[in-house]
Amino acid sequence: MRSPSSLKQEFLKKWILGLQVCNSLKNMNVFERKKAIKLSADVAMASSRNGKTCWSRALIANASRNDNGKEFVEKILGSDYERQNKNSTMSRRTRCRKILKRSCTTIRKAMKRSTPSRPKVLAFSVAKKMIKKRTQLLKSVVPGGEFMDEVSLIEETLDYIISLRAQIDVMKSFANATEIENRKKDQQW
Amino acid sequence: MNRGVVPAAEMLHCTDLTVLERQRARMKWQQEQFHVVQQQQQESYFSELSGVFSVPSQVSHVQSFEGGLLGGGGDLVLGPVKPDPALENGWPDLGKVVVPGYGFGPCGPAFDANYAISRTTSCPPAVAAEAKVKESSIVNHKMSAAVGRESFKKRKADKVHNTKVGAEDEAKDKRMKGCAEEGDSKITEQNNNNNKSNSNNNRETSGDTSKENSKVSEVQKPDYIHVRARRGQATDSHSLAERVRREKISERMKYLQDLVPGCNKITGKAGMLDEIINYVQSLQRQVEFLSMKLAAVNPRLDFNIDNFFAKEVFPACPPNFPPIGMSSDMNNPAYLQFNPVQQQVVSCSGLEMGINPSDMGLRRTISAPPETFLDSSCFTLQPSSIWDADLQNFYNLAFDQGRSTITTTPFPSQPFTGSIEASNLKMEM
């Protein structure tokens, strides 16, 4: 684990690249711009982890699904992207397709099986259910969490929270900087 | 009958002596044993042991003597007559004589109590059987002496043996079984046996757990996890792995608890997960909000600052920055060389490094190389208590000046931000 300041530096470097892409995109309304900014920030944050964590890989994979995000990913990751992409696709070819499908079906089956058979309403089972529900929710919150087991999910959540904090810090200071500049410009006029 | 009884009573008396002697001899040995035991056992266990060690053997002697009596008066058909007054007297006699003879100084009262208890419960079947088996007290004496020797040997062996594990234990156990038939020192032996079996059990369990540990460590190569099965816990590999997994999860959860604010007070996994989810979602929302803010703050600026930052990050840009925009209220000539953004950066670095804000030249040197800018830039911007008062002052000042920008900014609710600090700096200068 690196120190948070170095994480922030890395993130800022990558994010600036992403923002350059944002610059190149013209004719956007506020929401589109916001989306672009957020996407760039997310991709930058993910790429600052160098693909070591599941959530970052999932985030990049999700981002590169649409064209806009692909641009960011290519720009931010640069040469890393091709390498990572190759690696990931290779590994995906070999293992993901079949095993993932199978596991998904088994999960679905298990869910189907569990839902009609009404378990006794015991405190124990209720607690278990609650935990299960929340785990599912957490999986949906953390990018790529659907494919993690519980231990790695919690680890990834830890890492993700730290990264998010760094991201927020950088973004905050960045926003403040822009705000100041705006204000000064206003004063100038 | 009376004749039969009287020699029997005589025999009782004489054998009583022998018994006493024997008992004394035995007690010597037992004391030795005690010293050995004393080193091993705790104080609390000591008194209990003393009762167990000494009393039942004595009782068994009495029993054996009874047997001898029976054997001596073999023609006596009246079994029930056997507990005659002489014998009845013999019991307390034994009790009286023997007890002081034992010389267990520290545990006298405890011994008495134990004696009483063991008298009430002094008919273990093994002892009765022994009473049947042994005809004469002499034989008994021999036997007991043999047993004593043997058990003493055993003691020694045990003492030597304490650190060893393995086949020797089994052999000893076998020997123990052989001795157990003697019954003379059976109860003490049992006690020993219990101790030993306990230790054996411990050893076994420890061996077991060590095996399991090795298994587990095989399963998880990178980090060695020490797993101990507590009493009543399952020890097969599945439940062990499950336990390891749960421990791992709880450990991670602890870290998360430390990381997520306000999660310390919550107990229970569900509540913790709730809190974590809330926190992650709030962080995500914050990111969203900040990106929205960024998008709203510069609607048509096209990220001038971004360009600026980018230039600065990558060494294409010279360390001296050309002034882009100048504020209208700049009186300080040194200030002219800094554009607003840089000034903010400078102020932040100055804040972080604890440099006097009015020291412009020093700050310039700090802000000049891009690397230092990166290192000590505004990312670790944190409101310190020293700045709070200044910030407050500035806030009032800014409002006094009637700036429209503050009122029109969409996010005025962040008092401790770099913007105000930077402006504060400006005010100072």
Side-chain angles (χ1 to χ4, degrees):
Chain A
M1 195 73 205
R2 290 170 303 175
S3 66
S5 64
S6 73
L7 192 70
K8 282 175 192 173
Q9 278 177 33
E10 192 101 351
F11 167 65
L12 187 72
K13 271 184 201 168
K14 308 252 174 171
W15 193 33
I16 284 160
L17 287 173
L19 287 177
Q20 281 174 336
V21 178
C22 278
N23 268 350
S24 68
L25 301 170
K26 300 280 175 191
N27 300 325
M28 289 194 296
N29 62 11
V30 176
F31 289 103
E32 280 170 346
R33 208 165 37 236
K34 175 226 153 191
K35 253 187 195 170
I37 288 169
K38 184 175 184 302
L39 200 62
S40 67
D42 279 346
V43 171
M45 181 175 67
S47 67
S48 67
R49 301 298 298 156
N50 284 331
K52 273 174 198 151
T53 51
C54 289
W55 65 263
S56 61
R57 269 176 278 152
L59 207 62
I60 288 169
N62 284 342
S64 57
R65 228 162 260 164
N66 59 358
D67 322 334
N68 216 349
K70 209 164 198 170
E71 210 171 327
F72 284 121
V73 170
E74 276 164 12
K75 180 80 179 177
I76 290 171
L77 287 175
S79 59
D80 287 348
Y81 176 60
E82 268 88 53
R83 188 166 45 80
Q84 267 186 27
N85 212 13
K86 228 177 252 170
N87 284 345
S88 63
T89 48
M90 270 173 70
S91 58
R92 218 176 272 157
R93 287 278 149 68
T94 51
R95 100 190 134 166
C96 273
R97 282 293 134 104
K98 280 182 185 172
I99 295 171
L100 199 68
K101 223 181 233 175
R102 216 184 302 151
S103 71
C104 280
T105 51
T106 50
I107 286 167
R108 231 168 275 145
K109 266 183 199 166
M111 280 171 76
K112 266 179 197 167
R113 232 182 293 137
S114 69
T115 40
S117 67
R118 199 166 292 246
K120 291 172 203 167
V121 188
L122 293 169
F124 179 68
S125 68
V126 165
K128 260 201 166 170
K129 238 185 190 174
M130 274 166 78
I131 287 173
K132 205 166 192 183
K133 222 193 225 167
R134 277 156 181 83
T135 313
Q136 288 296 327
L137 199 60
L138 189 62
K139 277 182 181 178
S140 67
V141 167
V142 176
E146 298 90 24
F147 311 113
M148 296 175 197
D149 62 330
E150 213 169 328
V151 177
S152 61
L153 175 71
I154 291 174
E155 274 174 18
E156 297 283 329
T157 313
L158 266 169
D159 198 271
Y160 186 55
I161 285 174
I162 290 168
S163 304
L164 272 179
R165 274 182 177 175
Q167 191 190 21
I168 286 167
D169 275 2
V170 173
M171 284 178 87
K172 243 183 209 166
S173 46
F174 199 84
N176 290 328
T178 43
E179 219 178 317
I180 292 163
E181 203 196 18
N182 280 356
R183 203 175 298 153
K184 273 171 193 159
K185 287 214 167 148
D186 284 351
Q187 275 180 1
Q188 221 171 340
W189 295 334
Chain B
M1 253 183 75
N2 270 340
R3 282 192 180 182
V5 168
V6 168
E10 278 174 10
M11 201 173 109
L12 182 140
H13 283 298
C14 70
T15 48
D16 196 15
L17 276 177
T18 57
V19 163
L20 263 179
E21 280 169 10
R22 206 185 331 136
Q23 296 267 337
R24 287 218 178 107
R26 271 185 63 76
M27 278 330 292
K28 268 183 200 167
W29 165 71
Q30 273 176 344
Q31 268 177 338
E32 278 175 357
Q33 230 176 4
F34 261 125
H35 287 302
V36 173
V37 170
Q38 209 170 3
Q39 288 161 2
Q40 294 168 351
Q41 312 281 349
Q42 306 101 311
E43 281 295 320
S44 61
Y45 199 27
F46 177 77
S47 61
E48 190 190 320
L49 260 185
S50 73
V52 178
F53 261 90
S54 54
V55 177
S57 63
Q58 180 199 351
V59 167
S60 69
H61 277 294
V62 173
Q63 290 277 345
S64 73
F65 176 65
E66 251 177 77
L69 185 72
L70 257 179
D75 52 342
L76 290 180
V77 196
L78 296 170
V81 184
K82 179 198 59 175
D84 52 2
L87 195 63
E88 282 293 320
N89 288 337
W91 272 77
D93 262 26
L94 258 178
K96 272 173 203 162
V97 174
V98 169
V99 170
Y102 275 8
F104 282 114
C107 54
F111 174 77
D112 275 341
N114 275 336
Y115 180 62
I117 290 165
S118 64
R119 244 186 98 178
T120 56
T121 62
S122 68
C123 286
V127 177
E130 179 244 15
K132 272 182 220 158
V133 168
K134 268 132 220 173
E135 300 265 348
S136 65
S137 59
I138 302 159
V139 176
N140 193 9
H141 182 210
K142 275 179 192 168
M143 291 288 273
S144 70
V147 167
R149 248 179 280 132
E150 200 177 11
S151 56
F152 185 62
K153 262 189 236 158
K154 204 179 300 159
R155 257 304 145 173
K156 260 186 174 171
D158 199 19
K159 211 172 152 191
V160 173
H161 201 49
N162 263 340
T163 51
K164 290 174 192 171
V165 199
E168 256 184 290
D169 256 348
E170 286 177 14
K172 210 198 297 173
D173 280 347
K174 271 178 203 163
R175 227 194 314 175
M176 202 98 116
K177 271 173 203 162
C179 294
E181 280 177 56
E182 314 291 83
D184 187 3
S185 55
K186 170 152 192 198
I187 296 166
T188 62
E189 298 280 329
Q190 267 179 342
N191 200 20
N192 292 351
N193 209 352
N194 279 344
N195 286 344
K196 226 174 278 178
S197 65
N198 273 345
S199 64
N200 278 352
N201 279 345
N202 284 340
R203 270 178 219 144
E204 271 169 20
T205 47
S206 65
D208 232 349
T209 45
S210 67
K211 263 182 228 162
E212 284 153 13
N213 283 347
S214 62
K215 257 187 231 161
V216 169
S217 60
E218 269 170 42
V219 170
Q220 301 158 346
K221 274 165 193 169
D223 48 348
Y224 177 82
I225 294 179
H226 193 79
V227 191
R228 269 208 97 106
R230 274 189 223 104
R231 210 182 163 79
Q233 280 183 328
T235 51
D236 56 316
S237 64
H238 284 281
S239 45
L240 221 79
E242 174 65 20
R243 203 176 308 135
V244 167
R245 189 180 137 269
R246 256 183 277 134
E247 269 167 24
K248 239 183 179 176
I249 288 173
S250 62
E251 187 194 349
R252 261 48 166 218
M253 287 295 254
K254 237 173 245 168
Y255 287 133
L256 266 177
Q257 224 175 353
D258 291 342
L259 200 66
V260 177
C263 209
N264 297 327
K265 290 150 199 158
I266 296 166
T267 54
K269 207 178 166 193
M272 232 142 73
L273 278 173
D274 259 348
E275 202 65 22
I276 289 162
I277 290 164
N278 281 341
Y279 186 58
V280 171
Q281 276 177 340
S282 78
L283 284 175
Q284 282 174 343
R285 245 175 275 136
Q286 220 168 339
V287 169
E288 204 122 324
F289 163 82
L290 281 168
S291 53
M292 189 74 198
K293 181 179 174 180
L294 273 174
V297 160
N298 38 7
R300 52 177 167 63
L301 269 177
D302 292 336
F303 298 105
N304 261 345
I305 312 165
D306 313 340
N307 287 334
F308 176 76
F309 267 64
K311 262 189 238 157
E312 205 175 38
V313 167
F314 296 105
C317 155
N320 267 336
F321 308 105
I324 297 167
M326 288 186 290
S327 307
S328 57
D329 55 344
M330 287 187 294
N331 303 323
N332 199 340
Y335 191 66
L336 287 171
Q337 295 184 356
F338 293 85
N339 71 13
V341 180
Q342 193 194 0
Q343 188 219 348
Q344 196 233 341
V345 167
V346 164
S347 76
C348 294
S349 63
L351 178 71
E352 195 187 53
M353 303 191 125
I355 295 168
N356 190 4
S358 61
D359 192 1
M360 208 57 189
L362 198 55
R363 250 180 292 129
R364 266 185 75 188
T365 56
I366 284 163
S367 67
E371 271 312 306
T372 52
F373 154 67
L374 267 181
D375 281 340
S376 62
S377 52
C378 46
F379 319 130
T380 51
L381 192 66
Q382 278 170 3
S384 60
S385 55
I386 309 159
W387 283 81
D388 281 357
D390 282 346
L391 285 173
Q392 289 296 329
N393 285 338
F394 167 67
Y395 222 61
N396 295 335
L397 269 177
F399 272 103
D400 285 343
Q401 281 185 344
R403 274 203 228 174
S404 58
T405 52
I406 284 178
T407 51
T408 52
T409 30
F411 312 107
S413 62
Q414 291 182 335
F416 305 129
T417 53
S419 68
I420 294 165
E421 274 157 23
S423 315
N424 190 13
L425 192 74
K426 202 168 62 189
M427 292 303 293
E428 278 179 32
M429 290 178 307

